[in-house]
């Protein structure tokens, strides 16, 4: 089974075939263009390479060669597994899945707007508020996920350390928001948007599901095979601080946090030690990991969409009523006695 990236487009122009996303464009000509168009169409209709070759009339070698090329650009994800997968291959496959779905999340409207310097003031500050709530929640879902007692200490130790290192990073973002002019009362009493709560519920459920399911959610958040450099972090946030000067303290907080993560080695997959300990992973385990990564992607899409929808004016940033039973009854039109 292969999955076409949701944000990749294929266009036929005369005898050429263009396959592209926001960052990469591949051009195929002549027979290669016909091969690409046929295979791209067949990917979601049939499962295996053999079936794709049979349906399109091309050789297995030609189909494999094209799929390898498309996979290298994260245009296609191979979600087929043999009965058992060795740890080394499994780690590479999981990293590919994390990168594939992370790319999808970052192709959505709000991330493109935010990091392309097109977001409005209230959305930028709203992003800071909801991200702060997301980071604060690590003390709950990461505590649950790290509380495993079954398995070798060497493998589980990474989960414990990850939780200990992230547990109080929310204070970095809280200080950044206060320096942007938000009051402590506003931040401390803020409840998450329903879309943010949906993401946090998913992370808690993953933490409840077991160590592999819990650790798999971080594959989406740790897509880089190599850690970011100090220079790239500085350049990224220099651009954002220049684009959104009113939120410069907030992006200073992000820059500080990114630097801490690099120093702590958080670009490494949290799931990697667990997979190495197993040595071999079953098709069921690999499918469960891939499904968890995909669900995490869907929840981050919802998270970003909620920010864009809700934070449209100054009042959405400066005030949000804490929900109460009385407020819920009033909202439904009932009289409170």
């Amino acid at each position: 089974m292969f999955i076409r990236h949701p944000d990749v487009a294929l266009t036929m122009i005369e005898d050429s075939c263009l396959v592209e996303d926001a960052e990469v464009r591949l051009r195929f000509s002549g027979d290669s263009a016909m091969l690409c168009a046929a295979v791209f169409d067949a990917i979601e209709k049939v499962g295996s390479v053999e079936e794709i070759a049979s349906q399109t009339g091309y050789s297995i070698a030609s189909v494999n060669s094209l799929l390898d090329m498309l996979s290298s650009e994260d245009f296609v994800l191979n979600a087929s597994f043999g009965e058992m997968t060795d740890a080394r291959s499994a780690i590479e496959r999981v990293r590919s899945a994390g990168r594939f779905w992370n790319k999808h999340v970052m192709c959505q409207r709000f991330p493109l707007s935010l990091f392309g310097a097109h977001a409005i003031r209230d959305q930028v500050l709203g992003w800071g508020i909801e991200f702060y709530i997301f980071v604060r929640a690590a003390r709950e879902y990461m505590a649950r996920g790290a509380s495993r007692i079954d398995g070798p200490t060497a493998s589980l130790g990474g989960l414990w350390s990850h939780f200990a290192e992230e547990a109080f990073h929310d204070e970095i973002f809280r200080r950044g928001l206060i320096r942007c002019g938000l009051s402590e009362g506003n931040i401390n009493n803020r409840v998450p948007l329903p879309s943010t709560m949906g993401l946090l519920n998913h992370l808690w459920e993953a933490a409840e599901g077991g160590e592999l399911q819990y650790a798999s959610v971080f594959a989406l958040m740790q897509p880089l095979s190599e850690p970011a450099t100090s220079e790239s972090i500085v350049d990224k946030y220099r651009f954002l601080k220049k684009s959104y000067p009113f939120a410069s303290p907030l992006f200073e907080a992000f820059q500080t946090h990114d630097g801490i993560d690099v120093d702590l080695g958080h670009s490494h997959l949290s799931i990697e030690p667990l997979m190495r300990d197993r040595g071999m992973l079953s098709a069921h385990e690999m499918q469960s990991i891939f499904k968890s990564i995909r669900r995490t992607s869907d929840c981050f899409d919802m998270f970003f969409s909620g920010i864009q929808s809700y934070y449209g004016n100054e009042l959405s940033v400066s005030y949000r009523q804490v929900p109460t039973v009385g407020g819920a009854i009033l909202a439904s039109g009932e009289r409170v006695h």
Side-chain angles (χ1 to χ4, degrees), residues 24 35 111 115 136 171 183 244 248 266 327:
V24 178
L35 167 67
F115 296 110
R136 185 181 64 190
E171 182 61 20
S183 70
Y244 305 113
S248 185
H266 287 181

Side-chain angles (χ1 to χ4, degrees), residues 103-124:
K103 188 176 185 178
H104 170 62
V105 171
M106 300 310 293
C107 281
Q108 301 312 297
R109 287 179 58 193
F110 182 65
L112 287 175
S113 174
L114 176 68
F115 296 110
H118 303 301
I120 63 174
R121 176 185 181 277
D122 307 303
Q123 289 174 339
V124 174

Side-chain angles (χ1 to χ4, degrees), residues 12-321:
M12 296 296 297
I13 303 176
E14 297 180 349
D15 67 339
S16 294
C17 176
L18 301 180
V19 186
E20 60 187 323
D21 62 14
E23 299 177 348
V24 178
R25 170 182 288 181
L26 299 179
R27 180 187 291 271
F28 300 88
S29 301
D31 291 340
S32 295
M34 300 305 294
L35 167 67
C36 183
V39 170
F40 211 68
D41 180 63
I43 282 174
E44 299 203 330
K45 296 178 179 178
V46 294
S48 67
V49 172
E50 291 77 14
E51 290 172 326
I52 294 173
S54 175
Q55 177 162 318
T56 60
Y58 289 96
S59 68
I60 290 177
S62 296
V63 172
N64 265 325
S65 178
L66 176 65
L67 289 174
D68 286 344
M69 184 180 300
L70 295 175
S71 297
S72 69
E73 298 295 345
D74 298 318
F75 287 174
V76 168
L77 178 67
N78 183 358
S80 300
F81 306 100
E83 186 175 342
M84 299 297 293
T85 304
D86 67 88
R88 181 176 178 180
S89 297
I91 291 167
E92 291 176 358
R93 299 284 300 276
V94 169
R95 191 173 287 283
S96 294
R99 190 172 60 243
F100 183 91
W101 290 114
N102 177 277
K103 188 176 185 178
H104 170 62
V105 171
M106 300 310 293
C107 281
Q108 301 312 297
R109 287 179 58 193
F110 182 65
L112 287 175
S113 174
L114 176 68
F115 296 110
H118 303 301
I120 63 174
R121 176 185 181 277
D122 307 303
Q123 289 174 339
V124 174
L125 294 177
W127 149 251
I129 291 169
E130 299 303 317
F131 193 87
Y132 158 72
I133 293 171
F134 161 69
V135 175
R136 185 181 64 190
R139 292 203 290 273
E140 298 176 4
Y141 78 86
M142 289 187 73
R144 179 66 188 98
S147 63
R148 306 294 166 188
I149 58 174
D150 295 328
T153 300
S155 299
L156 297 179
L159 302 182
W160 304 335
S161 297
H162 192 193
F163 163 61
E165 291 160 357
E166 291 286 352
F168 299 101
H169 282 182
D170 57 297
E171 182 61 20
I172 298 172
F173 298 98
R174 195 181 75 88
R175 290 198 301 265
L177 288 167
I178 290 172
R179 289 172 57 207
C180 287
L182 277 72
S183 70
E184 290 198 43
N186 184 337
I187 299 169
N188 296 340
N189 296 326
R190 178 75 57 142
V191 295
L193 292 177
S195 47
T196 301
M197 198 69 233
L199 170 61
L200 301 184
N201 285 341
H202 164 71
L203 296 173
W204 175 265
E205 289 167 4
E208 283 276 292
E211 64 270 20
L212 281 180
Q213 186 175 347
Y214 165 63
S216 67
V217 304
F218 296 104
L220 186 84
M221 307 179 215
Q222 303 163 326
L224 301 178
S225 56
E226 296 294 332
T229 64
S230 299
E231 292 77 12
S232 66
I233 293 173
V234 170
D235 288 343
K236 174 183 178 180
Y237 290 108
R238 180 187 293 121
F239 168 74
L240 291 170
K241 285 184 279 190
K242 182 178 179 181
S243 302
Y244 305 113
F246 59 88
S248 185
L250 174 62
F251 288 111
E252 189 68 41
F254 274 94
Q255 181 175 331
T256 298
H257 184 257
D258 282 9
I260 292 172
D261 277 354
V262 168
D263 291 340
L264 292 173
H266 287 181
S267 62
H268 299 294
L269 285 176
S270 298
I271 200 171
E272 186 170 332
L274 302 173
M275 300 174 87
R276 291 195 187 282
D277 176 64
R278 276 169 167 74
M280 302 291 291
L281 287 96
S282 69
H284 174 72
E285 288 174 320
M286 291 299 296
Q287 289 163 358
S288 296
I289 291 169
F290 267 48
K291 286 179 182 177
S292 179
I293 296 171
R294 173 67 184 271
R295 290 194 203 101
T296 305
S297 166
D298 291 341
C299 289
F300 269 105
D301 286 349
M302 178 176 62
F303 170 72
F304 280 119
S305 179
I307 293 170
Q308 184 175 37
S309 298
Y310 179 79
Y311 289 98
N313 53 57
E314 194 279 332
L315 188 61
S316 64
V317 173
S318 62
Y319 173 76
R320 185 154 187 253
Q321 183 178 0

